[in-house]
Amino acid sequence: MSSRLPGFYNLSIESRWRALAEQGWLSPEDISELQRGLELSRADKMIENVIGVYGLPLGVATNFLVNGRDVLVPMVVEEPSVVAGASKAALAARECGGFTAEADESLMVGQVQLLDVPDLERAVQSALQHQAEILALANAQDPVLSGLGGGARSLRVRALTETPVGPMLVVELECDVRDAMGANAVNTMVEAIAPLLATVTGGRPNLRIITNLADRRLARARVRLRPEVLAVQGLDGQTVARRIVEAYALAVVDPYRAATHNKGIMNGVDAVVIATGNDWRAVEAGAHAYAARSGRYGPLAHWQLVDGELHGELEMPLAVGTVGGATRVHPVARLALGLMGASSARALAEVIAAVGLAQNLAALWALVTEGIQRGHMELHARQVAVAAGATGDEIEAVARAMVASREVRLDAAQRLLQQMRKRRQGDASDEA
Ligand code: NAD
């Protein structure tokens, strides 16, 4: 199966289903599932006080080659240009062998905060002396995870002497959560070990919760681009590559740019995280905390010129699962996971890292050439046309007129729509 699907964007939704079914990406059951979406009765089991289902578009980014494997990437996002940008960057990467990616083991950390500890030094020693007992108690909470070769692995104990409420101890439980995101698994464990920690340290447990700074669960993606694949009308590839590195340099030294650089990465990352039913707030929290790990907020993806080639690399925490949470409860998330063929949480994280890097490339590429507004505006114009009340073929006509006049605004859309409808009424009465 190839993720290279030329002209896919021009097809109707039905034709896209057919094209994907012909290639073997989708089964007839998958297509019915996509038509059904999330039903109210299922939604009612997911959160509290449900009164409806909120829809978002699910698209697929094409052209992705990750570790030599063709991947069709499901993306759920409300912003135009994200899917197109990822697909365009993935095509350039594909012409140079695609992305390589790797992910660490699924190690998550849960924290137990202990206050009123009589002797911090002794408490640290005592917690470590009881490590085996504490780990056994943690692992007794999740026989499934232990059976899969995962589970609690080690303890780290830190004394924090200066905090706004005085000295405290934090005990960190490292756990291999295998193919889960792991928050429930780890939270259950830290809640279970807290009373034992109280006994062995003499402290009073307060917080018992996972940390979202999942820096032992990093994913990395790399790409090496020959400059010619970056050439655009009027600009040779070497100039584009050099400008991309120059643009990246601002993100290195300036958090104002780094925030936007990373926002572009998260456009891609979040879209896949949401499509697969994973917790995007957790991934966002981890990403930005990791970006600030040196004390200064910096870029998650890095670009350099090496022997005339443009090399890109992304590294970020990616706590995502292929089991647990909403991944199997939401029917479309389950389908999205199947579509990606991600056999494990690590394989999923690898693809997401590649998508993040592709999205960063797409943004930088557009920014250093025509700017992002041109491509963005064409898609954005359709949304503005809909917001102004356009329906059916009016949407395309109003959008095109706005782009031509470089006025993509609600008031312009309303004016154009009025004019268009008046003209049509006039035509209709002429014919009558
Ligand atoms: P979960 O408890 O639904 O699933 C994990 C469990 O699935 C494991 O404990 C294990 O018993 C079982 N399992 C079966 N097959 C497995 C396999 N191959 N690999 C690993 N485990 C397997 O979910 P979770 O992943 O522990 O937690 C994720 C959920 O927690 C998300 O919904 C998230 O939104 C939520 N959450 C997040 C936070 C946070 O990020 N701070 C806090 C609380 C809850």
Side-chain angles (χ1 to χ4, degrees):
M1 286 189 290
S2 173
S3 63
R4 176 94 189 91
L5 300 163
F8 190 71
Y9 67 99
N10 276 327
L11 304 178
S12 65
I13 294 177
E14 284 76 15
S15 309
R16 288 184 193 134
W17 286 336
R18 256 198 310 279
L20 295 184
E22 274 164 21
Q23 287 245 358
W25 289 108
L26 289 180
S27 68
E29 295 75 42
D30 289 338
I31 295 170
S32 312
E33 200 77 272
L34 286 170
Q35 282 168 306
R36 225 180 356 257
L38 177 63
E39 287 171 340
L40 264 176
S41 54
R42 181 71 65 96
D44 197 27
K45 302 278 180 297
M46 290 176 70
I47 63 162
E48 311 77 31
N49 298 358
V50 168
I51 58 164
V53 170
Y54 180 108
L56 279 173
L58 164 67
V60 284
T62 56
N63 304 323
F64 272 87
L65 195 60
V66 182
N67 294 336
R69 186 170 72 90
D70 271 84
V71 189
L72 202 58
V73 181
M75 300 180 90
V76 168
V77 63
E78 86 296 346
E79 188 180 347
S81 302
V82 172
V83 177
S87 304
K88 184 179 172 192
L91 181 58
R94 186 182 186 89
E95 286 164 17
C96 305
F99 298 91
T100 52
E102 68 194 31
D104 294 340
E105 285 180 282
S106 306
L107 296 178
M108 297 298 283
V109 172
Q111 297 186 305
V112 180
Q113 177 196 31
L114 294 145
L115 298 124
D116 307 332
V117 180
D119 182 335
L120 282 179
E121 278 296 304
R122 277 194 31 205
V124 171
Q125 294 314 318
S126 175
L128 291 173
Q129 275 159 11
H130 289 84
Q131 173 159 224
E133 195 185 335
I134 295 164
L135 294 181
L137 179 59
N139 281 325
Q141 311 308 311
D142 202 332
V144 176
L145 204 52
S146 307
L148 291 164
R153 283 206 174 164
S154 64
L155 279 191
R156 184 174 167 220
V157 190
R158 289 189 289 143
L160 303 171
T161 48
E162 286 186 36
T163 83
V165 294
M168 63 179 72
L169 205 65
V170 59
V171 177
E172 294 177 334
L173 179 77
E174 184 186 73
C175 180
D176 179 348
V177 297
R178 298 272 131 170
D179 291 320
M181 180 268 178
N184 281 330
V186 170
N187 291 345
T188 306
M189 288 184 185
V190 287
E191 285 191 5
I193 63 171
L196 177 54
L197 286 170
T199 309
V200 302
T201 64
R204 170 174 60 87
N206 196 35
L207 286 171
R208 296 147 300 159
I209 180 84
I210 197 163
T211 168
N212 289 112
L213 176 50
D215 59 0
R216 295 175 214 179
R217 196 178 187 179
L218 301 176
R220 291 165 213 88
R222 289 185 197 88
V223 69
R224 294 180 166 191
L225 299 155
R226 292 188 310 277
E228 56 268 27
V229 301
L230 297 167
V232 294
Q233 208 176 12
L235 272 184
D236 65 86
Q238 273 162 351
T239 305
V240 176
R242 196 187 65 240
R243 288 186 183 181
I244 287 177
V245 175
E246 289 167 350
Y248 154 72
L250 181 58
V252 175
V253 296
D254 179 27
Y256 287 91
R257 173 56 208 160
T260 320
H261 181 95
N262 291 343
K263 192 276 180 181
I265 293 168
M266 300 313 287
N267 273 343
V269 168
D270 284 341
V272 189
V273 170
I274 295 171
T276 55
N278 274 288
D279 184 337
W280 73 93
R281 289 86 53 209
V283 172
E284 280 279 343
H288 298 295
Y290 190 68
R293 68 195 179 283
S294 72
R296 187 166 79 184
Y297 188 88
L300 291 166
H302 305 272
W303 297 93
Q304 57 175 331
L305 285 170
V306 181
D307 301 330
E309 284 188 339
L310 179 66
H311 288 194
E313 184 166 355
L314 167 83
E315 181 179 75
M316 63 180 288
L318 270 170
V320 289
T322 54
V323 300
T327 57
R328 305 287 169 108
V329 180
H330 192 301
V332 184
R334 198 176 45 210
L335 186 151
L337 276 168
L339 187 65
M340 289 175 85
S343 52
S344 64
R346 288 169 81 176
L348 175 61
E350 288 169 0
V351 174
I352 295 175
V355 176
L357 187 58
Q359 209 74 56
N360 188 221
L361 172 63
L364 291 170
W365 194 359
L367 284 166
V368 303
T369 54
E370 60 178 16
I372 60 162
Q373 284 309 77
R374 209 175 130 237
H376 193 74
M377 275 304 151
E378 282 172 21
L379 290 154
H380 177 58
R382 288 191 209 150
Q383 283 190 347
V384 176
V386 173
T391 55
D393 58 1
E394 290 172 343
I395 299 172
E396 215 41 62
V398 170
R400 236 179 294 128
M402 279 195 292
V403 171
S405 64
R406 293 182 177 265
E407 274 188 314
V408 185
R409 293 193 317 268
L410 191 62
D411 61 310
Q414 283 162 341
R415 195 184 62 239
L416 284 161
L417 188 61
Q418 253 178 4
Q419 287 168 355
M420 208 171 285
R421 286 183 177 167
K422 258 198 199 136
R423 234 183 357 257
R424 283 191 177 170
Q425 267 173 1
D427 291 350
S429 51
D430 286 351
E431 280 164 25

